[in-house]
Amino acid sequence: TTLIKGFARAGQVDHAMHVYEQMRTGRSVPPDLITFSILIKANCDSCRLEAALQLLEAMLDLKLRPDEVIFNNLLGGCVKESKAGLAKRLYEDMVAAGIQPSNATFSILIRLYAQCKLLDEAVEMLRREPAAQGISPEPRLFIQLVLCCLRERQGRRAVEVYTLLLEHCSPTVAAHRNILGMCVKLNMLDTGAEILGLASKANGRVDACDAQQLLETAQRKRRALCVEACMAAMGQLHIPTESTGRCR
């Protein structure tokens, strides 16, 4: 196993697999869970997903039970090859085997669904699966998905996910900076104003500079309704609508 780990770290996956084959045929030192975990990750990292899946089958044949890390690596391999269907089946197998997913698992799935333009499924997964598996979803998952929706210009979905975030926690100043900054960058000012409005109703933590940047951009682009919505939200958050100069 030590030799396999060394080859894997060096990116010499073929050499690592050769040692594994010797272990399988020699029968003196059979591969264990750690061996399979290293090899599966190495193959997934090298875009050799089929080989990784064969390793999964081999470890099951040896009555070894894969853990969350192994499934997460396989899901990561699906991201590299944009295989959403396979990822869904692996996730189902994971849950059926009684292996509890983690926030890392859900983050990988969000990345995959976003990459495959399956944002509806990403939203539904985040809405349903953590609770179904007894996991408390971390705020970063919602923020990750909000940003994914924004990058795909899906403002309605971004607002929907932000609303889910509010149901779980009060977003941090940094979270609002990332979200509102992305709205400004992508010229999704109406979405930014709506999110700012929701934050104001929840008495959220928003830095004055981030709100003012959104407002000033809307003013510069002559988006009257957006300007009005921003000013109303900033008033509720007790943020001055006139720039103080400290944000420059």
Side-chain angles (χ1 to χ4, degrees), residues 154-185:
Q154 299 292 320
R156 287 283 88 215
R157 288 196 184 98
V159 171
E160 179 184 359
V161 179
Y162 179 80
T163 302
L164 290 176
L165 172 61
L166 290 178
E167 293 173 2
H168 284 82
C169 70
S170 175
T172 64
V173 170
H176 283 124
R177 177 170 298 123
N178 287 335
I179 293 170
L180 296 178
M182 184 67 72
C183 289
V184 171
K185 179 181 178 180

Side-chain angles (χ1 to χ4, degrees), residues 18-29:
H18 178 67
V19 176
Y20 160 74
E21 292 297 339
Q22 290 180 325
M23 293 174 72
R24 285 295 306 271
T25 57
R27 300 292 182 182
S28 56
V29 184

